[in-house]
Amino acid sequence: MKIQSVQIFNRQKSEINKKCQNQTQSPVVSVQDYRPIYYMPVFGSAAKLNLKYILQKHSDELPESILQKVISFSELDVEKLPTLKDLHDHVYRPLQDATSLDEVKSIYPEFKNVIDLKDYKTNHSKAINDIKKNMPLDGFTLDFLKKLFTPCTMDELVKFYGVRNRSSLTYLAESLGIKKLSKTYLQLYKLSDEAENERFAKKAQSYVRTDKARAKCNERAAAAHRTPEYRAKKRREMIDYYKRNPQVAERTAKISKMTWDNCPEVKEAFALYRSNLDQSTRRIIAKGLSGEKMNDFERRVFGSSMKNFWESHPQMRSVYQQRRIEVIEKLGKAGK
């Protein structure tokens, strides 16, 4: 077994999103809905990670010199193409042998605007202070480029130069006009090598089968959906979707009302929960439940209040979910 593609798929997430669009405005998705198998890479031959595939799927990830070479090779009618690893090592061999930054700039268009650290006008960089302790600033930029395109990861470079954190070194590199290699590119580089591909595939296959790996994958999936940015993005998407499909919005509202009416025990628990809140929050909740228009602050308060209720009453959450399913099935049978 070998890695065939670096694309990561999540069919389950896609299925859930489609279901949410058809059924609910604010779906409750449990950790169990995200299954590790949908986050696994696709296995196959490393030979399929050829330059034509990389150009088609990942051209945005390629450094300029590599992109030009890959385009040239893709236009040739040759049976055997070099691997990305072989091509990268060949293209950046002159960089490893270079003795000055000016020499490097004359060879590689992607480095023409790179600033030498000794000419960088700032006294406020933590990374520079750390680098000074380990090497002279004269020559750092050339040394950094050589190591970066070996290639090395930023984490490896942080350790080598003794910088205290990755973000400060990344910021310094960007300030000097140096674009780091993306994670996707580094992965493509490694996996285009047959031996590395096979080793990685075996390790990945054995890892994803463990209980620890499944739990970690589930937690990552759940955590991604707890971020304010993700929720805001999804809220905007759902609002746009309902604007384009008013009939779906009407059906969703109908499902929510019928579900709520069929949950007397949930309503009783929620009434008790709401009675312990301050008057302002109770007013906002009443406004949200009635479907009135709310401002951003009110939406945040309403969302936070509902979230706290469901988290503090997991048994009520289960009841509500089950009743909602029953309502959807009932409407489906009635053709509504």
Side-chain angles (χ1 to χ4, degrees):
M1 285 291 182
K2 299 175 184 179
I3 296 291
Q4 169 182 328
S5 170
V6 296
Q7 300 281 354
I8 302 298
F9 297 93
N10 184 355
R11 188 176 64 197
Q12 182 71 7
K13 178 181 173 184
S14 177
E15 291 170 354
I16 291 170
N17 285 343
K18 289 179 182 177
K19 187 184 295 183
C20 292
Q21 289 178 346
N22 292 329
Q23 297 179 358
T24 177
Q25 182 174 350
S26 54
V28 179
V29 182
S30 66
V31 173
Q32 287 74 20
D33 286 322
Y34 295 92
R35 304 172 191 171
I37 188 171
Y38 297 114
Y39 293 89
M40 289 172 57
V42 177
F43 292 91
S45 171
K48 293 187 178 181
L49 283 176
N50 59 41
L51 296 184
K52 289 183 178 180
Y53 164 84
I54 291 171
L55 180 63
Q56 180 184 4
K57 298 291 186 179
H58 302 286
S59 60
D60 292 345
E61 310 287 346
L62 304 179
E64 189 172 345
S65 294
I66 295 294
L67 178 60
Q68 291 174 359
K69 289 290 185 181
V70 172
I71 291 174
S72 299
F73 275 113
S74 67
E75 294 172 347
L76 299 175
D77 187 19
V78 292
E79 193 169 312
K80 186 172 177 59
L81 295 170
T83 66
L84 179 62
K85 180 181 184 303
D86 290 340
L87 180 61
H88 178 100
D89 293 347
H90 173 75
V91 167
Y92 290 107
R93 169 48 54 190
L95 168 62
Q96 304 304 323
D97 296 334
T99 58
S100 71
L101 185 58
D102 288 338
E103 181 185 350
V104 169
K105 290 183 177 184
S106 68
I107 301 173
Y108 302 99
E110 60 264 46
F111 302 144
K112 65 181 180 181
N113 295 320
V114 169
I115 301 170
D116 197 321
L117 183 56
K118 66 181 176 60
D119 300 323
Y120 183 52
K121 308 300 182 183
T122 183
N123 295 316
H124 305 290
S125 172
K126 294 180 180 179
I128 292 177
N129 292 333
D130 291 334
I131 293 167
K132 282 181 180 178
K133 299 174 184 177
N134 296 283
M135 68 175 295
L137 298 186
D138 186 9
F140 166 80
T141 302
L142 177 60
D143 187 69
F144 183 83
L145 283 174
K146 288 183 176 183
K147 288 182 171 58
L148 184 65
F149 282 79
T150 300
C152 288
T153 66
M154 288 300 291
D155 287 335
E156 290 170 332
L157 292 170
V158 165
K159 293 179 181 178
F160 181 85
Y161 292 113
V163 179
R164 277 169 285 185
N165 62 73
R166 172 176 169 165
S167 60
S168 62
L169 184 61
T170 299
Y171 179 77
L172 176 61
E174 292 173 351
S175 300
L176 295 176
I178 301 172
K179 184 178 179 181
K180 67 179 182 179
L181 298 171
S182 70
K183 290 182 179 179
T184 299
Y185 182 83
L186 292 173
Q187 190 175 31
L188 287 166
Y189 174 89
K190 288 182 178 180
L191 299 181
S192 65
D193 177 69
E194 287 288 349
E196 177 64 20
N197 184 288
E198 186 170 1
R199 185 196 68 78
F200 181 87
K202 288 179 178 178
K203 182 178 179 180
Q205 284 280 41
S206 62
Y207 176 75
V208 295
R209 291 194 178 97
T210 66
D211 291 338
K212 182 178 180 181
R214 284 192 288 271
K216 187 174 182 180
C217 188
N218 279 338
E219 175 56 29
R220 281 201 303 268
H225 293 75
R226 288 195 294 264
T227 62
E229 295 79 11
Y230 179 87
R231 290 196 296 270
K233 175 177 177 288
K234 285 300 168 186
R235 183 168 59 248
R236 290 193 300 270
E237 289 177 355
M238 293 305 295
I239 290 172
D240 291 341
Y241 178 79
Y242 286 143
K243 285 181 179 178
R244 296 193 307 270
N245 301 273
Q247 72 283 2
V248 177
E250 291 175 6
R251 185 173 186 274
T252 299
K254 183 177 183 179
I255 290 171
S256 296
K257 185 178 185 307
M258 289 179 64
T259 302
W260 190 250
D261 291 341
N262 289 336
C263 296
E265 61 271 70
V266 178
K267 293 169 73 174
E268 182 179 349
F270 187 71
L272 180 61
Y273 163 80
R274 189 167 54 176
S275 67
N276 293 315
L277 301 176
D278 61 81
Q279 184 177 357
S280 176
T281 302
R282 291 200 302 270
R283 180 185 59 78
I284 292 173
I285 290 175
K287 191 175 181 179
L289 292 176
S290 66
E292 293 182 48
K293 188 174 181 180
M294 296 185 292
N295 58 37
D296 289 341
F297 172 74
E298 290 172 332
R299 278 194 293 270
R300 286 195 296 271
V301 172
F302 180 77
S304 176
S305 300
M306 296 303 296
K307 179 175 180 290
N308 290 337
F309 171 73
W310 291 124
E311 289 181 348
S312 60
H313 297 77
Q315 71 281 11
M316 294 295 104
R317 185 175 188 165
S318 299
V319 170
Y320 183 87
Q321 287 177 310
Q322 181 57 41
R323 300 284 165 77
R324 190 177 187 88
I325 291 172
E326 292 170 1
V327 168
I328 292 170
E329 290 177 347
K330 182 179 180 180
L331 290 176
K333 290 178 182 178
K336 297 181 180 179

